[in-house]
Amino acid sequence: NAGVTQTPKFQVLKTGQSMTLQCAQDMNHEYMSWYRQDPGMGLRLIHYSVGAGITDQGEVPNGYNVSRSTTEDFPLRLLSAAPSQTSVYFCASSPGPTSYEQYFGPGTRLTVT
Amino acid sequence: KNEVEQSPQNLTAQEGEFITINCSYSVGISALHWLQQHPGGGIVSLFMLSSGKKKHGRLIATINIQEKHSSLHITASHPRDSAVYICAVPNGGGNKLVFGAGTILRVKS
């Protein structure tokens, strides 16, 4: 199993550009989440999904969209990038909700200039 | 909203020392996670526990549900243990976790 994969590993965007961060898992997990990690702060939940076709907002959803058309994939879209979205983004999956082990992807480092 | 506090923020130890990292939270929970983030950035799950104690190799995690407190212990620490250690707890329904800011551990040889 590849586990949780994320692409790209690094990305530089100009303010106003849009892009999609890809996340895929091959463990047949129902639960998937997107987090951002900023210096000095804990990971913060952006959006999450409890199954194909079901998504919900986390703590910091503004400026991001998600969809979950398949169990395997959970892409994160930045609609119009802003410097405040410079961060490291992690995707995670788990076989159940928060009392189950979480599996993290390797992260995407995004810089918005 | 559940609040998570970790201490210490930074910890430097000599190889072989016994290390304790603490995590406190504000709202009752069903489970608590300890995670490790290596300098390369990858995050791995160390423990998920809801009561008592768990042990894996030189790592031990304990939780006191009544006191809303958990500790992560590392026995006979080694430079390869140098990493950021993060605790996380559920924050409402769905799949919401809230994370501590992390403890940066450096073990010197």
Side-chain angles (χ1 to χ4, degrees):
Chain A
N1 286 352
V4 181
T5 58
Q6 289 183 239
T7 55
K9 290 181 88 78
F10 302 94
Q11 183 71 48
V12 178
L13 290 178
K14 293 189 186 320
T15 296
Q17 288 184 316
S18 63
M19 79 159 295
T20 299
L21 278 61
Q22 302 291 345
C23 174
Q25 52 90 11
D26 60 359
M27 297 172 282
N28 202 33
H29 287 171
E30 290 294 325
Y31 289 72
M32 297 185 75
S33 303
W34 274 103
Y35 298 96
R36 60 177 290 172
Q37 185 178 42
D38 301 296
M41 303 183 73
L43 290 151
R44 290 182 293 169
L45 180 65
I46 304 170
H47 286 284
Y48 69 96
S49 170
V50 301
I54 307 169
T55 63
D56 205 349
Q57 295 182 348
E59 186 183 351
V60 288
N62 292 342
Y64 307 95
N65 268 0
V66 291
S67 60
R68 184 98 179 269
S69 55
T70 67
T71 299
E72 294 77 21
D73 300 298
F74 191 42
L76 178 73
R77 296 183 193 83
L78 280 70
L79 309 172
S80 176
S84 60
Q85 294 179 304
T86 293
S87 188
V88 181
Y89 291 84
F90 288 95
C91 178
S93 75
S94 62
T98 52
S99 57
Y100 287 76
E101 183 174 353
Q102 306 286 309
Y103 296 79
F104 285 82
T108 295
R109 185 173 293 275
L110 174 69
T111 302
V112 182
T113 61
Chain B
K1 181 181 184 310
N2 215 339
E3 304 288 342
V4 180
E5 294 285 337
Q6 282 187 242
S7 62
Q9 285 185 298
N10 290 278
L11 181 55
T12 300
Q14 282 297 131
E15 184 173 358
E17 284 185 359
F18 181 84
I19 289 163
T20 295
I21 298 169
N22 297 298
C23 176
S24 297
Y25 51 93
S26 58
V27 179
I29 59 171
S30 56
L32 179 143
H33 299 260
W34 280 104
L35 309 164
Q36 180 189 57
Q37 185 171 27
H38 269 284
I43 300 172
V44 295
S45 176
L46 295 175
F47 295 103
M48 195 278 295
L49 68 165
S50 55
S51 64
K53 180 166 88 171
K54 284 192 176 181
K55 184 175 190 288
H56 185 254
R58 294 179 294 105
L59 272 59
I60 303 166
T62 64
I63 189 167
N64 185 318
I65 295 291
Q66 287 73 30
E67 294 188 3
K68 299 187 178 63
H69 181 269
S70 176
S71 293
L72 177 68
H73 306 286
I74 305 175
T75 62
S77 59
H78 189 277
R80 65 175 174 266
D81 297 324
S82 298
V84 179
Y85 292 85
I86 301 167
C87 72
V89 300
N91 187 34
N95 196 29
K96 299 176 193 170
L97 285 172
V98 61
F99 295 76
T103 294
I104 302 171
L105 172 64
R106 181 180 170 219
V107 182
K108 299 195 287 187
S109 57

